[in-house]
Amino acid sequence: MSSTIHPRSVRSVWATLWTVAAFAIAICSLPGSRNVIAWQAIDPAEPEVKENDVEKPVGARPAAVIINVPLPIKGLVDTQVIKQIEHALQTLPPVPRPILIFEFGNSKVATNEEKSPEAGSQFERALSLARYLSGEKLSRVRTVAYLPNSVTGHAVLPVMACEQIIMHPDADLGNAGIDESNIDATLLRAYTEIAERRRTIPTALAIGMLDRAATVSRVQTADGVRFVLADELQTLQKAGQVSAIDTIVREGDLGLFSGRDLRVKYSLASHLATNHLELATALELPRSALDGSSLNAEVWRPIQVKIDGPIHSRLVTQIIRGVETAAADGTANIVLIHLRSAGGNLQQSLRLASFLARDLDSKKMRSVVFVQREARGDAALVALAADDLVITPDALLGGPGNANLSAKAIADSIMPLRALAQAKEREWSLFAAMIDPKLEVYRWTNERQSDVRFMGDTEWDSLPDQDLWSRRDLLPTDLGLKGIALEGTAWLQGIADDENALADMYGWEGPPLEIKSNWALSFIEFLAQPRLALVLLTVAWAALMIELSSPGVGVPGFIAGLCFLLFFWSQFLHGTAGFLEISLFLFGVTCVAIEIFALPGVGIFGFGGAFLIIASMVLASQTFVIPANAYQLRQLPFSLLTVAASAFGGLVALLIARRFLPQTPFFKRLLLQPPQGDDLQDLQRRESFGDWGQLVGKRGQTLTPLVPSGKARIGDEIVDVLSDGELLDRGATIEVIEVQGMRIVVRQV
């Protein structure tokens, strides 16, 4: 490496550094960025939140919890249900006898064509669950069995173990012995035990559902209506106590009864309900008491995906394809989304939210979104659209994010948001408030039904019973809603400090399988991490400066180009860089090349190109161009600091390289060694006189390309020369045609 750096290279390097520094200082002085005093590579710190500023929960804890019991009951279903019950007992408020609702099977009511009563439940598992449901541990709660669809086989046992049965009119209950070829004494004792514990289903009727050899009759006696087996019927008849007989299960058949019959004819089902709204009415609960109150006792086979950054088309497509594949091959029945995002694309967030709200039911999958710290802007739509929303204590929903939404874009999204809310049976106003800072959402209460909803005035105006609703306090959503404000409402499933607490909540063991892209995209996502992006830019700047200070080597230039390529490619696939940023970078490089090779000394192309290159890197580190909200104003200085820090790191790397690279075995053959000892003194002596006239007419060879200046060996001298207009390659034979002081002009021979 030469001891001297070409003056134009030095000016270019310093111009670049001064431009970066001036641009960073100017932006950091903008309002909203003065409090940034600590470097964070990932995202800016939140404003300090004082204890008194934290919004208190706006709703009361629900007095009821739904636990979904999958059918058939086999494997570890009973254990999973019991875990969910114990979790529910910890979360239910200490009100007199809160309600545990056990929803058997899929909550979606099947049509007549779809109905196929699920048998296959294992007797031991069903009996274990039934004994737990009818035991002393649940004496402080009221247990309700809700059957939106048919329940057959040994799953009848835990239904009988509940205090109350509510059914869809067309759902069936019975055929308990459908999987048994022989009914032994153990089975009969078990059904008798559970029936006598709760007396929800008469013992005789329970035996009639189990044993084809049994005959069950409903008889009218002086003491009232009774369900009896054949031997008891004979005893009553001999005693003359029977006034009417109705045989409801004949020998050779298994008892199977519709919800309509159990309610209307036999008065064994307390109510009929076709949906959760009718279920809430039957239990004298507000509608919102059952929204979002479900705990799934499925034996979970989870998959997970992590969204840490902007939401964009490629990411949404990857998630949807991964979930559909897992649902098709049966490897998973629940998808967990770790969400930490400031949004960035309203249409893609709506697309993912719609998939979670509508399409997963048909795939028999459940969705859980775990918001870690923030789901800003349109990312909050994904969080609210999930079946279960779980947050960390400091999570923030909605408010300013990466996307700058116009009034027209917000207005155009109202209809999709209403459809999304309808699919989730929720209020659309809270969805809209996540992206519209001007929309005011209030807490409304219905004293008659003890119900709470979050609505804007427009949604309230559309209610048929609006006179029953009273407007209460304003929900602070303009700068983002603190997630804990939803605690105890239908919108929030729970709060978890970390992934271990989340796993305990749902009962799965070990980390879930992760939906991953192919190795190339995974590598790009790895490079797109802020710290890795900083390393790429630092290496690129260092290699570029080395190439400028020693033109013609080639290796540093190749490394610089490769690092810049990886940086922009990773940011492009990560969703923060687009054609604008790439075009600015390429145009900036072109301008710098014009300044060096075509119009040296003009200046405008050099400074303009350097500014465009820096601007492209800044824009590639963020999703917006001009900051339009408080969040973006806090984010911009970190993008600038990334570029400035990388340039400074490159300068430091250049100084280190100049000091040590010439002594390395490989680079000392590529880089020009600075003169040492007597050679250095002789060079200084000659340069002090400033007279190279003795070289006129002499021939030599270029040691570097002349573009149009460079270095050449003339005789025993190594000197800086200037071509007479031609661009000469390294190794060209030249002749000195003119010398003026230190200016040596040559031409090719």
Side-chain angles (χ1 to χ4, degrees):
M1 181 180 295
S2 175
S3 60
T4 60
I5 302 177
H6 194 275
R8 185 176 290 108
S9 300
V10 175
R11 289 197 298 270
S12 299
V13 172
W14 281 110
T16 300
L17 292 177
W18 277 112
T19 303
V20 172
F23 194 32
I25 293 172
I27 296 300
C28 289
S29 64
L30 289 174
S33 63
R34 295 178 180 176
N35 292 330
V36 180
I37 58 175
W39 166 257
Q40 286 188 352
I42 298 179
D43 54 14
E46 293 296 329
E48 183 181 359
V49 179
K50 298 179 181 179
E51 183 178 356
N52 295 334
D53 294 336
V54 177
E55 295 293 331
K56 302 302 180 183
V58 295
R61 287 182 177 273
V65 170
I66 298 178
I67 295 180
N68 297 104
V69 183
L71 296 178
I73 300 175
K74 60 183 180 179
L76 298 177
V77 167
D78 60 322
T79 304
Q80 193 70 29
V81 171
I82 292 172
K83 284 184 179 180
Q84 298 299 336
I85 293 173
E86 292 175 347
H87 173 71
L89 293 177
Q90 297 175 359
T91 59
L92 283 170
V95 299
R97 298 215 75 197
I99 303 174
L100 278 182
I101 304 170
F102 297 93
E103 187 172 291
F104 287 81
N106 194 339
S107 60
K108 178 184 176 183
V109 177
T111 64
N112 290 331
E113 293 78 11
E114 294 173 334
K115 278 188 177 180
S116 56
E118 290 194 71
S121 294
Q122 296 174 343
F123 168 69
E124 293 79 6
R125 297 297 185 183
L127 179 60
S128 170
L129 179 57
R131 283 175 171 165
Y132 184 87
L133 294 180
S134 58
E136 289 294 327
K137 194 168 186 177
L138 297 188
S139 59
R140 79 173 186 90
V141 299
R142 176 182 167 193
T143 55
V144 177
Y146 173 51
L147 281 60
N149 289 294
S150 298
V151 175
T152 61
H154 291 304
V156 170
L157 274 171
V159 174
M160 295 192 308
C162 296
E163 299 176 39
Q164 187 176 350
I165 298 176
I166 299 177
M167 297 179 63
H168 188 281
D170 298 326
D172 295 325
L173 176 66
N175 282 352
I178 193 172
D179 296 318
E180 302 293 342
S181 58
N182 179 45
I183 305 300
D184 57 20
T186 301
L187 293 172
L188 292 172
R189 282 196 302 269
Y191 275 77
T192 300
E193 172 194 345
I194 299 302
E196 291 181 350
R197 279 191 182 188
R198 286 299 191 191
R199 301 188 181 277
T200 306
I201 297 295
T203 302
L205 199 59
I207 298 301
M209 295 178 182
L210 173 70
D211 191 358
R212 296 181 186 274
T215 299
V216 182
S217 302
R218 185 179 65 160
V219 299
Q220 182 70 46
T221 68
D223 298 329
V225 177
R226 297 175 60 180
F227 294 86
V228 296
L229 297 172
D231 53 353
E232 186 178 2
L233 175 61
Q234 293 178 0
T235 301
L236 292 175
Q237 286 177 323
K238 289 179 181 180
Q241 298 179 10
V242 178
S243 59
I245 302 176
D246 178 18
T247 302
I248 58 176
V249 180
R250 300 184 181 278
E251 184 177 356
D253 295 333
L254 292 177
L256 183 66
F257 306 95
S258 68
R260 188 175 288 104
D261 287 343
L262 287 179
R263 172 59 185 159
V264 178
K265 293 178 63 175
Y266 307 126
S267 299
L268 297 177
S270 64
H271 298 85
L272 297 177
T274 60
N275 52 44
H276 281 184
L277 177 59
E278 295 180 4
L279 175 63
T281 303
L283 296 174
E284 299 181 348
L285 293 170
R287 187 213 68 169
S288 60
L290 299 185
D291 289 346
S293 62
S294 297
L295 293 174
N296 283 268
E298 186 78 70
V299 177
W300 293 126
R301 301 185 302 278
I303 56 173
Q304 67 176 342
V305 61
K306 296 183 178 181
I307 302 178
D308 191 356
I311 296 176
H312 51 84
S313 176
R314 290 179 298 278
L315 176 63
V316 173
T317 300
Q318 174 189 333
I319 294 173
I320 292 176
R321 288 179 179 175
V323 172
E324 289 178 340
T325 300
D329 58 24
T331 57
N333 55 12
I334 185 172
V335 54
L336 167 63
I337 298 179
H338 297 267
L339 181 60
R340 183 178 179 180
S341 172
N345 191 316
L346 176 59
Q347 296 304 318
Q348 295 305 320
S349 293
L350 278 172
R351 178 184 165 207
L352 180 55
S354 179
F355 174 76
L356 298 179
R358 299 175 181 174
D359 297 346
L360 286 189
D361 282 344
S362 62
K363 306 178 187 304
K364 295 185 177 180
M365 290 192 70
R366 191 168 186 84
S367 59
V368 177
V369 170
F370 181 36
V371 177
Q372 297 171 292
R373 190 174 180 182
E374 64 179 8
R376 294 178 179 270
D378 52 274
L381 303 180
V382 178
L384 297 181
D387 293 321
D388 296 342
L389 171 60
V390 183
I391 64 172
T392 54
D394 60 344
L396 192 71
L397 304 176
N402 277 327
N404 295 326
L405 300 178
S406 64
K408 184 179 183 303
I410 294 175
D412 292 342
S413 67
I414 294 300
M415 291 305 296
L417 289 177
R418 289 188 177 188
L420 183 63
Q422 184 178 7
K424 298 302 296 181
E425 298 182 354
R426 303 273 178 84
E427 301 87 64
W428 63 265
S429 295
L430 190 58
F431 280 96
M434 296 295 100
I435 60 173
D436 186 358
K438 298 181 180 180
L439 179 61
E440 294 183 343
V441 176
Y442 296 88
R443 182 172 65 95
W444 297 76
T445 60
N446 186 327
E447 301 298 339
R448 180 178 300 181
Q449 298 179 358
S450 300
D451 202 355
V452 177
R453 296 186 188 179
F454 301 118
M455 298 181 292
D457 290 335
T458 302
E459 186 169 9
W460 172 78
D461 287 338
S462 64
L463 295 180
D465 57 346
Q466 58 183 244
D467 294 338
L468 300 178
W469 293 90
S470 301
R471 191 170 78 175
R472 302 300 181 186
D473 50 301
L474 176 67
L475 206 63
T477 60
D478 53 338
L479 297 179
L481 178 66
K482 298 181 180 68
I484 58 173
L486 298 178
E487 185 179 10
T489 70
W491 293 87
L492 186 63
Q493 182 68 32
I495 299 176
D497 292 329
D498 51 31
E499 296 182 17
N500 293 330
L502 181 67
D504 292 339
M505 183 181 299
Y506 285 87
W508 57 61
E509 297 181 359
L513 296 174
E514 186 170 353
I515 299 176
K516 292 184 177 180
S517 54
N518 59 51
W519 69 268
L521 290 179
S522 298
F523 177 66
I524 293 303
E525 290 292 330
F526 172 74
L527 293 179
Q529 297 179 24
R531 292 182 178 86
L532 269 299
L534 176 62
V535 172
L536 280 177
L537 288 180
T538 301
V539 174
W541 282 119
L544 181 61
M545 292 177 184
I546 293 175
E547 180 66 26
L548 290 175
S549 66
S550 182
V553 175
V555 175
F558 174 79
I559 294 175
L562 179 62
C563 289
F564 282 129
L565 174 64
L566 288 176
F567 171 76
F568 280 100
W569 187 28
S570 63
Q571 299 303 322
F572 177 78
L573 294 181
H574 194 59
T576 58
F579 291 104
L580 171 64
E581 291 78 9
I582 296 175
S583 299
L584 287 177
F585 179 79
L586 294 178
F587 186 63
V589 171
T590 302
C591 289
V592 172
I594 291 175
E595 174 71 23
I596 295 176
F597 298 107
L599 301 172
V602 175
I604 182 63
F605 288 99
F607 283 100
F611 177 80
L612 291 178
I613 291 173
I614 295 169
S616 68
M617 296 177 186
V618 172
L619 294 179
S621 303
Q622 57 197 29
T623 58
F624 53 88
V625 178
I626 300 175
N629 56 49
Y631 172 79
Q632 294 174 357
L633 282 174
R634 292 196 303 271
Q635 184 77 10
L636 181 59
F638 291 93
S639 302
L640 293 170
L641 286 174
T642 298
V643 178
S646 64
F648 178 76
L651 180 60
V652 173
L654 171 64
L655 297 177
I656 295 175
R658 288 190 59 202
R659 173 67 178 83
F660 295 105
L661 281 186
Q663 281 74 45
T664 59
F666 176 74
F667 283 97
K668 70 181 181 181
R669 295 194 298 269
L670 298 177
L671 304 178
L672 295 176
Q673 295 281 354
Q676 302 288 337
D678 295 338
D679 293 337
L680 177 59
Q681 293 179 3
D682 185 55
L683 177 62
Q684 291 174 344
R685 179 184 58 79
R686 291 196 302 269
E687 289 181 343
S688 65
F689 294 114
D691 184 10
W692 293 96
Q694 74 275 13
L695 297 181
V696 175
K698 292 188 176 181
R699 295 186 178 186
Q701 194 173 42
T702 59
L703 298 177
T704 67
L706 301 189
V707 287
S709 63
K711 291 189 178 295
R713 182 186 297 275
I714 301 175
D716 295 330
E717 307 291 344
I718 297 177
V719 292
D720 292 320
V721 298
L722 181 69
S723 75
D724 62 347
E726 291 185 90
L727 301 181
L728 304 182
D729 294 330
R730 179 181 182 183
T733 302
I734 58 173
E735 180 182 0
V736 178
I737 60 174
E738 181 183 354
V739 174
Q740 293 182 358
M742 297 294 295
R743 183 172 178 267
I744 305 173
V745 182
V746 299
R747 67 181 177 187
Q748 186 173 13
V749 176

